[in-house]
Amino acid sequence: MMTTIEALAHYVRGAATLFFLLWCFKLHRYIRRKRMMRVLFTGTVGLAVCYSLDMVFLVEEWKNLKVLNDLIVVIDLLCVPLSCSFFLEVTRPGFSTPGRMAMAVGVQSVFIPLFLCWPTETTVIAAYSMAYSMAAVTIVGVLVFAHRYRRFISENYSYNENLDVTWVIVSSIVYFLSLFFFVIAFDQTTWLSEILYNLFVTLMWTFLFIYARRHRVVRQVSSAFSARPFASDVGEEVLEVEVSNQPAEGEGELDQVKLEEWESQLAQRLERCMNEEKYYLNPRISLYDVALAVGTNKTYLSDYLNRCVGQTFYDYVNGFRIKEACRYMENMPASDGRKTVAEVAQLSGFNSLSTFNRYFYKLKGMTPKEYMNQQ
């Protein structure tokens, strides 16, 4: 006779199965928009299939068969390379090609026929070891790719809402830890351990699904240095200064003068864009937009900001926004005392209150509320 906790375990497992099936349908609408969602959809289908296979344990004669349990575990581990492919794809868009995913799944799937031929504990341990190795390599890859991705965002965008990949780093680490939970829950299986594991997995993937739907994918395209470094990307008006790549003898000094002239013109145009036209008030302003406005291309504007100004584009623009916010708070009439920090953030060009608070504290050493109270 089925006990209460066993019935609850079956109920939770069934709910988890329905959870992944539901997300398969919800994610299907996104698969044509971006590869990241196609990879996530594939992984979710894999999870739904693996959970559906667990229904074999509803058969009374099969639920305590260790060899069947081990076979299901080996099959379940196929979800590891699919999940890892998703984490890598988010931090390095374009990385998880169908070929790479098929190769990773193929390597892990070798253990299925191997177990059918040699259904031993050694085969199961080998399957675990391969899955853990993939997960460990994935975490290293995610950390490396995330660092490069953040640098790219910082150099090209003045905002990072729905662009930041911190959630991916957290998710990949939690997922890696969940594999150990998986061993504990199913190697020495109890109905309670199974309930806790399925609840944990459902919560983890709920977090991941929500953030994945919000995330905006940005492809990192390497910019080649053109022969006309000061030419605009779209052929707009440019700063008419050229520096030859191979100067003739005695022309090095002249080229340096031309470069300094160009940098001086660029500084003046940037000054006008920021201080007079206040481009930074556009919360979605990007490096491309400013490069277009000053008549150069993204590569050389980014190089100028890093080399001459000593800031990334993100820091450069948000510095102006913080100054604008301080002006608002310093000149705010007493009648406007009810103006909130959120309103000041919006008026200054920020579209995220958390980013405004974090960046304000970084530059001013106090919160916006504390600064406002001092005025």
Side-chain angles (χ1 to χ4, degrees):
M1 183 176 178
M2 187 179 295
T3 64
T4 301
I5 192 168
E6 181 182 352
L8 180 60
H10 289 308
Y11 173 79
V12 173
R13 182 193 296 162
T17 304
L18 292 175
F19 168 80
F20 286 110
L21 287 172
L22 174 63
W23 273 103
C24 285
F25 287 106
K26 291 178 72 68
L27 293 173
H28 187 266
R29 75 176 80 174
Y30 297 99
I31 62 176
R32 293 185 179 180
R33 299 184 186 180
K34 44 193 175 184
R35 178 182 292 176
M36 182 193 84
M37 300 306 288
R38 290 197 295 272
V39 176
L40 180 59
F41 172 76
T42 303
T44 306
V45 170
L47 286 165
V49 171
C50 288
Y51 265 92
S52 298
L53 289 176
D54 287 344
M55 288 190 295
V56 299
F57 295 114
L58 292 174
V59 180
E60 188 68 25
E61 294 78 11
W62 292 355
K63 68 179 182 180
N64 294 318
L65 289 178
K66 187 176 187 324
V67 66
L68 179 60
N69 181 74
D70 288 345
L71 176 59
I72 295 297
V73 165
V74 172
I75 295 174
D76 287 345
L77 290 174
L78 292 178
C79 293
V80 174
L82 293 176
S83 300
C84 291
S85 296
F86 170 73
F87 296 133
L88 292 170
E89 177 63 25
V90 180
T91 52
R92 180 68 182 276
F95 180 85
S96 296
T97 61
R100 284 176 174 163
M101 291 177 63
M103 182 173 65
V105 173
V107 170
Q108 188 66 48
S109 66
V110 167
F111 294 98
I112 296 176
L114 194 61
F115 181 83
L116 293 175
C117 295
W118 295 282
T120 64
E121 191 71 19
T122 302
T123 306
V124 177
I125 293 174
Y128 272 126
S129 300
M130 177 58 70
Y132 289 163
S133 298
M134 285 188 184
V137 170
T138 295
I139 289 179
V140 175
V142 165
L143 292 174
V144 172
F145 293 157
H147 174 71
R148 296 175 180 173
Y149 185 91
R150 283 172 164 173
R151 184 174 61 185
F152 178 83
I153 295 300
S154 180
E155 291 178 349
N156 289 271
Y157 293 87
S158 66
Y159 59 97
N160 58 12
E161 291 73 28
N162 298 329
L163 298 178
D164 189 62
V165 290
T166 300
W167 66 274
V168 188
I169 298 174
V170 173
S171 298
S172 62
I173 294 174
V174 172
Y175 179 77
F176 181 74
L177 295 176
S178 75
L179 296 179
F180 292 95
F181 192 2
F182 180 82
V183 175
I184 296 172
F186 293 99
D187 186 44
Q188 302 294 329
T189 307
T190 65
W191 294 120
L192 179 60
S193 67
E194 184 173 337
I195 291 171
L196 293 175
Y197 176 78
N198 287 323
L199 290 175
F200 173 78
V201 167
T202 302
L203 289 173
M204 178 182 69
W205 283 93
T206 298
F207 169 85
L208 193 148
F209 287 141
I210 291 173
Y211 275 85
R213 290 176 66 185
R214 295 175 182 173
H215 187 69
R216 177 186 167 195
V217 176
V218 175
R219 291 294 298 269
Q220 301 175 62
V221 181
S222 298
S223 299
F225 281 73
S226 62
R228 292 271 321 264
F230 309 113
S232 168
D233 290 330
V234 293
E236 296 290 334
E237 178 189 5
V238 300
L239 301 176
E240 294 296 339
V241 180
E242 288 192 45
V243 179
S244 61
N245 293 325
Q246 298 294 333
E249 184 177 355
E251 292 184 355
E253 295 83 357
L254 179 59
D255 288 337
Q256 183 61 34
V257 170
K258 289 182 178 180
L259 179 60
E260 291 174 356
E261 290 176 354
W262 175 79
E263 290 177 348
S264 176
Q265 293 179 50
L266 181 57
Q268 292 173 12
R269 293 195 178 190
L270 278 173
E271 177 78 12
R272 185 171 66 249
C273 283
M274 294 299 167
N275 289 323
E276 297 179 17
E277 301 177 19
K278 296 190 176 183
Y279 270 53
Y280 57 84
L281 293 180
N282 176 2
R284 294 289 180 180
I285 193 72
S286 69
L287 182 70
Y288 175 84
D289 299 319
V290 177
L292 188 64
V294 300
T296 186
N297 60 46
K298 296 186 297 181
T299 300
Y300 283 87
L301 177 56
S302 178
D303 176 69
Y304 171 79
L305 291 174
N306 283 279
R307 180 170 48 84
C308 299
V309 182
Q311 291 181 309
T312 64
F313 181 73
Y314 180 86
D315 291 333
Y316 179 74
V317 174
N318 283 331
F320 282 96
R321 289 170 174 166
I322 295 300
K323 291 179 182 177
E324 185 76 10
C326 290
R327 283 195 292 269
Y328 273 119
M329 289 185 280
E330 291 166 3
N331 300 320
M332 192 182 296
S335 58
D336 287 347
R338 294 185 301 275
K339 193 178 291 296
T340 66
V341 172
E343 290 174 314
V344 172
Q346 186 176 25
L347 290 170
S348 305
F350 286 94
N351 62 355
S352 166
L353 180 58
S354 61
T355 301
F356 173 61
N357 286 328
R358 184 175 64 252
Y359 214 84
F360 195 97
Y361 189 86
K362 175 183 176 181
L363 294 184
K364 297 297 180 180
M366 64 181 72
T367 66
K369 190 68 175 178
E370 292 171 341
Y371 190 91
M372 188 182 295
N373 290 336
Q374 289 182 2
Q375 307 309 312

